[in-house]
Amino acid sequence: MTRVALISQSANLAYFGPLLQAAAPELDVVVWPDPAFREAEVAMCWNAPPGVYAEMPKLQLVHSIAAGVDNVVAGQDLRGLPVCRVVDPKLAEGMVQYVLWSVLYFHRSLDVAFANQRKAVWKRPVQTPALQCRVGVMGLGKLGGAIVRQLVALGYTVNGWSRSAHAIDGMAMFTGPEAFDAFLAETDVLICVLPLTDATRGILGRRTFDQLPRGAAIVNCGRGEHLVADDLLGALDSGQLRGAVLDVFAPEPLPADDPLWRAPGVVVTPHMATMASSTVVAEQVAHNVRRLVAGEPLANVVDMGRGY
Ligand code: NDP
C-alpha cells in the first residue's frame, strides 16, 4: 500500500485525506507531523518544513498542491526526486478575472475615483480607449497566456515577456533578459504571473520600476518574494508608480503592522487571485501516485533545472 503524507507547516491539509481516498481508495494517507509520515513514498505539500524530506527514506515523489512549487522545494535536499505541480484548467479562469479587475481599476481610474470618494470630491476622470492602455504581462505560461488572450480580446495593447518566445495573436513578444527594459518602457500596467525562482526573486524592485513610464502601475499575482516592498513604497512616494494591486506577500498572512496594508495607492488582497478545486488537486495527485506505482511517466513534472 502506498503511503501519502500531507505536509505543511502553515496549513492543515487534513481535508485532503477523504478527497484522496475517494479518488484512490488503495492509498494510505497520513498527516504530518504524525511520525508515520517518515514511511511515506509520496509527500503532498504546501509550504513544507525545511529539511523534512531528509527524514523520509522511502520518498519517491514530491507533489505540490498548487501551480507553484517554490515553497515545497525551498530549503530541501531533493536528491533527484521528481517534483510535480497541479495544472487545473479552471485555475486560469480565476486569475484572468482577478487581473482583468486590476487592469480596469487603473485603466478606468477607479483608484482615483475611490480616493476622491473618501474626500467627497466629484470629479469625472477622462475615459480613454483600451488600446491606449499598454498592459505588460510577465510570464506567458498557463496563467499568463490566458490573461493575454482575454486582454487582447478586450482591445488592450498587450506586451508579453518570458524566457522563451510565445506567439499569441495580438500580443507583442519580448523575449528574455535582453528585451526586459524595452518591454518595461512600453508598459503602463505591469502584471507579474512569474514562478518564483532564483532568476525572478526581487524582480519587482527599483531597477524595474525605474524603467517603467512615470505613473505606471503594478499587479503582483506571482509570489510575495518577487516584490521588494521598500522599493515599491519608495516608487509610490516619488510618483514613479501610481499604484499597486498585491495579492501575494512574504510572509503570508501579511503581518498587521506591515506598512503595505496602509500605503496610499496599494490594494492588498489575501492570496485570493485563484485557487484550484481541492477535488481536482486530490484527483491529480492520486493519478500521479498511480502512475508512479505503475512505473508510468508522471504528469506536470517540474523542470528543477529551470526551477519551474
Ligand atoms: P508556468 O510554469 O505555466 O509559466 C511560467 C511562465 O513564466 C513561463 O512563460 C516562463 O517562461 C516564465 N518565466 C519563468 N522564469 C522566467 C524568467 N526568469 N524570465 C522570464 N520569464 C520567465 O506557470 P503558471 O502560469 O501555471 O503559474 C505562474 C505562477 O503563478 C506560479 O508559479 C505561482 O507562483 C503563481 N500563482 C499565483 C496564484 C495566486 O492566487 N496569486 C495562483 C496560482 C499560481 P517560458 O514560457 O519561456 O518557460
Side-chain angles (χ1 to χ4, degrees):
M1 185 181 272
T2 307
R3 180 171 293 174
V4 179
L6 302 170
I7 303 178
S8 173
Q9 57 183 346
S10 59
N12 184 352
L13 302 186
Y15 63 95
F16 277 116
L19 297 173
L20 268 179
Q21 257 150 357
E26 74 277 16
L27 297 181
D28 170 31
V29 183
V30 299
V31 184
W32 180 91
D34 178 334
F37 88 88
R38 293 195 173 84
E39 301 303 313
E41 286 89 4
V42 179
M44 180 174 168
C45 307
W46 171 257
N47 203 5
V52 71
Y53 309 142
E55 299 175 53
M56 304 174 70
K58 297 183 181 167
L59 190 60
Q60 295 174 38
L61 168 64
V62 173
H63 212 304
S64 172
I65 62 162
V69 298
D70 47 286
N71 67 33
V72 310
V73 302
Q76 309 288 352
D77 176 6
L78 287 168
R79 52 185 194 269
L81 291 167
V83 178
C84 294
R85 68 186 191 122
V86 168
V87 178
D88 174 0
K90 286 276 171 210
L91 201 66
E93 184 179 308
M95 185 60 84
V96 168
Q97 291 162 352
Y98 184 94
V99 169
L100 189 56
W101 178 87
S102 306
V103 169
L104 288 166
Y105 177 71
F106 293 116
H107 162 225
R108 293 305 313 275
S109 300
L110 289 158
D111 57 337
V112 177
F114 293 163
N116 284 341
Q117 181 186 354
R118 286 192 285 278
K119 297 177 281 183
V121 169
W122 181 277
K123 193 172 172 206
R124 199 194 287 194
V126 177
Q127 186 178 334
T128 55
L131 197 63
Q132 279 179 27
C133 179
R134 298 169 300 175
V135 185
V137 180
M138 303 163 75
L140 300 173
K142 302 277 184 227
L143 301 179
I147 291 167
V148 167
R149 282 185 285 276
Q150 280 299 327
L151 290 172
V152 167
L154 290 170
Y156 287 94
T157 295
V158 185
N159 301 314
W161 181 72
S162 66
R163 253 167 49 124
S164 59
H166 295 256
I168 303 180
D169 278 352
M171 179 193 77
M173 181 68 219
F174 295 80
T175 311
E178 53 289 349
F180 192 46
D181 288 359
F183 163 77
L184 295 171
E186 298 288 322
T187 292
D188 300 312
V189 182
L190 180 67
I191 314 290
C192 176
V193 274
L194 289 167
L196 181 66
T197 67
D198 289 345
T200 65
R201 187 180 307 275
I203 197 164
L204 297 175
R206 182 170 167 185
R207 197 196 164 279
T208 295
F209 302 151
D210 285 349
Q211 303 303 314
L212 292 166
R214 190 168 175 78
I218 68 160
V219 178
N220 187 17
C221 296
R223 286 288 183 257
E225 292 87 345
H226 285 133
L227 179 72
V228 183
D230 285 345
D231 290 359
L232 172 64
L233 295 173
L236 290 167
D237 216 34
S238 71
Q240 173 59 19
L241 289 186
R242 155 193 183 169
V245 171
L246 306 176
D247 186 51
V248 284
F249 301 90
E252 293 179 3
L254 185 64
D257 60 354
D258 194 293
L260 287 173
W261 280 112
R262 281 163 279 275
V266 174
V267 174
V268 169
T269 60
H271 200 143
M272 56 175 259
T274 192
M275 207 181 291
S277 126
S278 304
T279 306
V280 170
V281 173
E283 284 170 355
Q284 289 197 3
V285 175
H287 287 154
N288 256 343
V289 176
R290 283 185 170 158
R291 290 186 188 105
L292 178 78
V293 172
E296 294 168 2
L298 299 168
N300 304 320
V301 179
V302 172
D303 177 344
M304 290 313 298
R306 296 186 316 187
Y308 66 97

